[in-house]
Amino acid sequence: RGNVLSIQNEGDVFVLDDETCTNLTFATPSGSRIFHAVATRTITDCKTTTLAVDKLEYDGYGVGTVAAGRTTGHVVDKWVANLYTHSIRDYSASHDAVGNVAAITAARPDGALRTVALTYDAFGLVPTRTRLTASGVPTMDTVFTLDGLSLAVTSTLDPNGTAAGEVLDGFDRVIRTTVTESGTTTAKTTSTTTFTGFTRGSAGGRWITTTTFPDLAGTESTTTTTLLDELGRPVQTRETLGDDYANESLVTHRKYDVLGRVAYESDPHALSTGGTYGTTYQYAADGSLQCEVRGYGQIAPPTVTNLAAETLPTCVTRSYGNHRLTLTTSTADSLQSGTPQAGVTTVETVTATGRTLTTSTKQGAATLELMTYAYDRLGNMTALTRFKDPATAALPTTCRGPTTRSARF
């Protein structure tokens, strides 16, 4: 049948205690030819220790049997110190005649139940109603109104009786949003959106203008206009401040480099006064972000702190050694020469699988702070250690986490 029965995850090959093995069993078909339905998944340390076990049920049968292949239950076994303690039913599910999920039920240990039931359109493609029932609380319905052609949601009626609506254009773009308050039938406009310059031969660029009405009465509004470049990327955004500010606008500019990355983004500033203060993004040769520089205009490297010019960089360097990634971060205060904090960096050491092993604060060769981290084979943090004497990694204080293990499909 070609089913995979065992998977060995070596993790970081230079770490000896993060290897796991996953053993799979498959349900036996009952009146069908479904041979690939996973029944159980057992995660071990590739030796004799069980770390976690999951079980799936199908078509109302118990674990190990499948008919149509519809998942009707999920059970998690809890293991502590290689000993099975108990099982937890994550959920039970039922399906309609065409295979859509009709209801999902979850139970707490105290017996409280929570069920979400779904109703679909006539074709069984899109939900039109969700009903939430739970022990000791009122039933809550959410109703969706669909577009007859595209089946896009055009209105959502929440359990409080408030309806949020959307009007779409021929490209399924939202051009108006509405709210109908509970107990009323009048839809009030909350925003409108227009698209300018999107037709062939249009001049002046492509603009998206959104007007928002926060008071629902239409007497107050805020308009945001976004200019797109030839690739559809936002390069300028304007937002009106209203009558209280003489209809002034806040403007944000954005520039991109030749690789399409954001190179500079200005802070919002008044259109009438202008402004170039913002953030410059500088990238390393491998494409990773190297520096974020606060300052006037787009700033070229190398970058150092200059208080007089209000240039404030934050930079990260990446180095690789001993099969580890080391991230060294320098903030604006540490990049200012002649100060007590000059040269202070934070250093993070990360494994090949992304687990942080150490974090430290250094100034030159001196270690000012040091923390180490430990994990179980499933990647859960089990211990954090701080050192009262970080220079020699002496006088440790360790905080240990829970030792229970679990995994999910």
Side-chain angles (χ1 to χ4, degrees):
R1 299 171 183 174
N3 290 329
V4 175
L5 299 178
S6 181
I7 303 170
Q8 181 176 351
N9 181 4
E10 295 183 349
D12 188 336
V13 296
F14 294 98
V15 175
L16 300 180
D17 61 352
D18 69 341
E19 184 179 44
T20 60
C21 287
T22 302
N23 300 315
L24 304 175
T25 65
F26 294 84
T28 301
S30 175
S32 67
R33 295 185 59 80
I34 297 177
F35 300 106
H36 57 272
V38 175
T40 65
R41 179 183 68 161
T42 302
I43 302 178
T44 72
D45 65 350
C46 298
K47 296 177 183 177
T48 60
T49 301
T50 298
L51 304 177
V53 177
D54 276 20
K55 302 173 183 177
L56 285 174
E57 300 171 347
Y58 301 91
D59 308 302
Y61 293 103
V63 176
T65 303
V66 61
R70 299 167 182 172
T71 304
T72 53
H74 178 222
V75 178
V76 178
D77 289 349
K78 299 294 291 185
W79 286 73
V80 179
N82 202 32
L83 294 175
Y84 166 78
T85 60
H86 62 283
S87 296
I88 300 173
R89 176 167 290 277
D90 189 18
Y91 65 82
S92 298
S94 61
H95 299 75
D96 61 20
V98 296
N100 291 318
V101 175
I104 301 175
T105 300
R108 288 200 315 238
D110 62 1
L113 298 176
R114 180 182 185 273
T115 300
V116 178
L118 297 94
T119 304
Y120 296 83
D121 70 297
F123 300 98
L125 299 176
V126 182
T128 58
R129 178 189 297 268
T130 62
R131 170 165 291 181
L132 173 62
T133 57
S135 301
V137 298
T139 298
M140 293 185 288
D141 286 346
T142 302
V143 180
F144 307 99
T145 302
L146 308 178
D147 180 84
L149 180 62
S150 67
L151 296 183
V153 176
T154 58
S155 179
T156 302
L157 179 67
D158 68 20
N160 297 318
T162 301
E166 293 183 344
V167 178
L168 310 177
D169 66 7
F171 295 102
D172 282 343
R173 300 177 300 190
V174 178
I175 58 174
R176 187 163 71 98
T177 61
T178 62
V179 167
T180 304
E181 297 175 279
S182 178
T184 68
T185 58
T186 302
K188 297 180 179 180
T189 299
T190 56
S191 71
T192 60
T193 302
T194 59
F195 300 85
T196 306
F198 284 78
T199 58
R200 178 179 296 180
S202 298
R206 292 181 290 176
W207 296 84
I208 300 176
T209 302
T210 299
T211 302
T212 304
F213 305 95
D215 63 349
L216 297 183
T219 57
E220 296 183 5
S221 65
T222 299
T223 300
T224 301
T225 304
T226 301
L227 172 64
L228 307 181
D229 66 7
E230 297 83 352
L231 299 178
R233 303 172 300 190
V235 293
Q236 183 187 118
T237 300
R238 298 181 183 178
E239 182 174 350
T240 59
L241 297 178
D243 295 340
D244 291 343
Y245 297 89
N247 291 315
E248 180 64 274
S249 295
L250 288 181
V251 182
T252 301
H253 297 277
R254 179 178 289 184
K255 297 179 181 180
Y256 301 87
D257 64 16
V258 295
L259 297 179
R261 303 169 299 194
V262 177
Y264 169 77
E265 185 169 16
S266 72
D267 289 353
H269 57 274
L271 178 63
S272 61
T273 61
T276 59
Y277 199 84
T279 304
T280 297
Y281 300 92
Q282 300 172 355
Y283 300 88
D286 63 358
S288 60
L289 183 63
Q290 188 173 45
C291 290
E292 292 185 6
V293 187
R294 301 282 293 153
Y296 287 98
Q298 188 170 350
I299 299 171
T303 306
V304 295
T305 297
N306 186 331
L307 292 182
E310 299 184 45
T311 301
L312 305 172
T314 298
C315 296
V316 179
T317 60
R318 294 166 173 81
S319 60
Y320 300 87
N322 194 28
H323 314 290
R324 301 286 183 266
L325 166 64
T326 300
L327 301 171
T328 303
T329 302
S330 301
T331 54
D333 56 346
S334 67
L335 291 171
Q336 184 181 10
S337 60
T339 61
Q341 68 272 18
V344 174
T345 60
T346 58
V347 182
E348 179 181 4
T349 304
V350 183
T351 69
T353 55
R355 298 179 185 177
T356 299
L357 294 180
T358 64
T359 56
S360 61
T361 303
K362 295 187 175 184
Q363 188 172 34
T367 301
L368 308 179
E369 293 179 308
L370 176 63
M371 289 189 294
T372 63
Y373 307 84
Y375 304 85
D376 64 18
R377 289 179 182 266
L378 296 177
N380 302 306
M381 185 187 299
T382 57
L384 183 154
T385 302
R386 295 179 65 107
F387 296 88
K388 189 174 181 180
D389 184 2
T392 60
L395 304 175
T397 299
T398 300
C399 176
R400 299 192 181 278
T403 57
T404 57
R405 304 179 178 94
S406 64
R408 298 172 64 91
F409 279 100

